[in-house]
Amino acid sequence: MKQKKSIDKPLCNCGIFGAFNDSSAASTAYLGLHALQHRGQEAAGIVSVEWDVNKKKYQFHIKKDFGLVTEVFRDESIFFNILKGDSAIGHNRYSTKGSSKRTQNIQPFFVHYHKGNLALAHNGNLTNTKTLRDRLEKEGTIFQTTTDSEIILHLIAKSKKEDLISQIIDALNQVKGAYSLVMLTEGKLLGIRDPHGVRPLALAKLENSYYIASETCAFDIIGAEYIRDIEPGEIVVIDDETVKTGEIKSYRLKEEVEQYHHCIFEYIYFSRPDSFIFGESVDKVRRKLGKSLAEEKPVYHVGDEKIMVMSVPDSSNTAAIGYADRSKKMGINTKLEIGLIRNHYVGRTFINPEKNGREMAVRRKFNIVRGVIKDRKVVVIDDSIVRGTTSKKLLKLIKEAGPKEIHFRVSSPPIISPCYYGMDFPSKEELIAVKCDEDVEKIREYLDVDSLEYLSVEKLLESVPKGGKIGYCTACFTGKYPIPFDNYDNKEETEN
Ligand code: SF4
């Protein structure tokens, strides 16, 4: 079951969650995954671990399948009869690497090797997959899945180091790319981030229970208190000693970078606005992006006319608030309105896909509020344009309501390159900015609006948090990839 691309946006590949010392660990993981559903809707899974008093050993339990979290765990008896134990990890998946149709590719992965049992859930993409996979296969490794995440498990199993933590460090010192991981071992929960800190990962506590999640919105749903982010290049270990003493053990990977490369698109679109990521509120940053867009690409009123600002819901709502606020402060006669209503309950369609398929998809997803659009000078705020096909249909829909003018403003720069660090973009040739030779006027003509403007890369970087080693990946807007990769034939420029 492939995640539906009903709106033309890049897809985030995964959400991960971990719970330690929680008597309902698996059902807590379920709630966490539910809050992270936006990060992957193709498949979901949970692995739990319990201490078997009679057998005097740890027992791992697993449940995973295709579908939304609510579908995979529809039967609540799963939590009492199968997913027992006081620790668990979970994963929401959208496949960026590996076939989406193979059940073996659904995470978390669980393995038994000579040192014990290990479960892993991964958000991100490794960039030296081909090199490592070729090497491991030559050494006789048989892969069960087509994912890059499995490579990490094989490297751990093959490590000559003595203890588990040293084996994990040894394995991760060989991989490159973007990875935020949660791992469950016999008596330990681990949270790990790659040295560049591409994807987010945070740590929280509730009484004597500890939690790790891709975004802090997963902590709010369970009432846990955010402690801090797992640092780039850090391995955090939670065990029984942590529960007793409060001490969180921390280890470092070998690679040190001068500057981190957080995915800037997490702030623009992927993460939920109610989350804190990379140490900052997504809502706050997204408002700032809207404000910066108003400063850089304003739309002025003429005479006593009023500018009507509206968002493409839901992901652009916060940027639209920022845009309208700053426009007002700049003396522009502005009003923020809800001009588009998004239907959240779009199910199957029985309409012939050959016949206006995409247009109908847009109409089913969005409806216009005619009264607020008719005869107005309208500024439509969107967070990004990928292929441009959905934007074109949406703007046509708005035009039907009879606005005086339509000005389209985008709170990110034109997308000119795909992502190799864990987001699913269409191929380069499908990107509207590439099709139009990165000429904004050509894109405007295609979209058929009175004006089109994007936020510049410079203004985008001015609008996000800075300080210390904080830095960003902007490769999809610049084509400059901060982490080299060997996986792809179509290599772009790499920064180093
Ligand atoms: Fe994020 Fe774009 Fe970089 Fe991918 S290429 S990590 S989406 S900023």
Side-chain angles (χ1 to χ4, degrees), residues 4 109 130 141 154 172 206 268 278 294 307 313 377 393 467:
K4 265 184 91 90
F109 293 142
K130 188 171 183 321
T141 302
H154 287 295
L172 293 175
L206 175 64
I268 295 165
F278 311 140
I307 304 290
K377 193 169 182 175
K393 300 285 183 291

Side-chain angles (χ1 to χ4, degrees), residues 90-213:
H91 190 265
N92 278 336
R93 173 165 188 268
Y94 171 71
S95 60
T96 52
K97 292 244 47 65
S99 163
S100 62
K101 294 197 181 75
R102 293 169 61 115
T103 46
Q104 299 98 311
N105 287 350
I106 303 174
Q107 297 193 31
F109 293 142
F110 168 68
V111 287
H112 176 77
Y113 77 117
H114 60 281
K115 290 278 183 185
N117 294 303
L118 187 62
L120 168 144
H122 172 201
N123 174 206
N125 266 173
L126 305 186
T127 55
N128 60 340
T129 306
K130 188 171 183 321
T131 311
L132 290 174
R133 203 174 168 108
D134 287 354
R135 193 188 88 200
L136 286 164
E137 278 175 348
K138 267 185 209 143
E139 289 168 8
T141 302
I142 297 168
F143 282 87
Q144 305 293 317
T145 76
T146 54
T147 69
D148 53 351
S149 317
E150 190 189 351
I151 289 172
I152 299 171
L153 291 173
H154 287 295
L155 290 172
I156 295 170
K158 286 178 94 82
S159 173
K160 302 268 187 300
K161 301 285 181 191
E162 273 304 305
D163 62 287
L164 180 72
I165 300 299
S166 305
Q167 288 167 353
I168 291 170
I169 293 173
D170 184 35
L172 293 175
N173 282 339
Q174 298 171 65
V175 305
K176 300 210 178 308
Y179 55 90
S180 283
L181 306 169
V182 282
M183 282 191 200
L184 201 55
T185 70
E186 298 180 350
K188 290 180 176 49
L189 170 69
L190 285 77
I192 304 165
R193 259 175 105 195
D194 69 74
H196 292 265
V198 179
R199 300 279 150 237
L201 196 63
L203 183 65
K205 192 179 175 201
L206 175 64
E207 295 167 357
N208 285 328
S209 307
Y210 288 83
Y211 303 97
I212 296 172

Side-chain angles (χ1 to χ4, degrees), residues 16-19 22 24-38 46 69-70 73 79 90 92 206 211 213 215-224 272:
I16 56 177
F17 188 89
D22 175 336
S24 325
S27 48
T28 306
Y30 165 83
L31 289 172
L33 291 181
H34 194 255
L36 298 171
Q37 187 74 84
H38 60 289
I46 293 175
V69 178
T70 46
F73 300 100
F79 297 106
N92 278 336
L206 175 64
Y211 303 97
E215 290 181 39
T216 59
C217 63
F219 302 143
D220 298 333
I221 196 171
I222 58 169
R272 266 176 48 166

Side-chain angles (χ1 to χ4, degrees), residues 306-336:
K306 198 164 230 167
I307 304 290
M308 203 279 274
V309 175
M310 58 182 267
S311 72
V312 176
D314 295 321
S315 57
S316 310
N317 291 350
T318 319
I321 294 171
Y323 189 95
D325 275 358
R326 185 49 53 98
S327 296
K328 270 186 214 159
K329 288 202 176 103
M330 288 161 64
I332 301 170
N333 195 8
T334 310
K335 193 169 185 208
L336 181 70

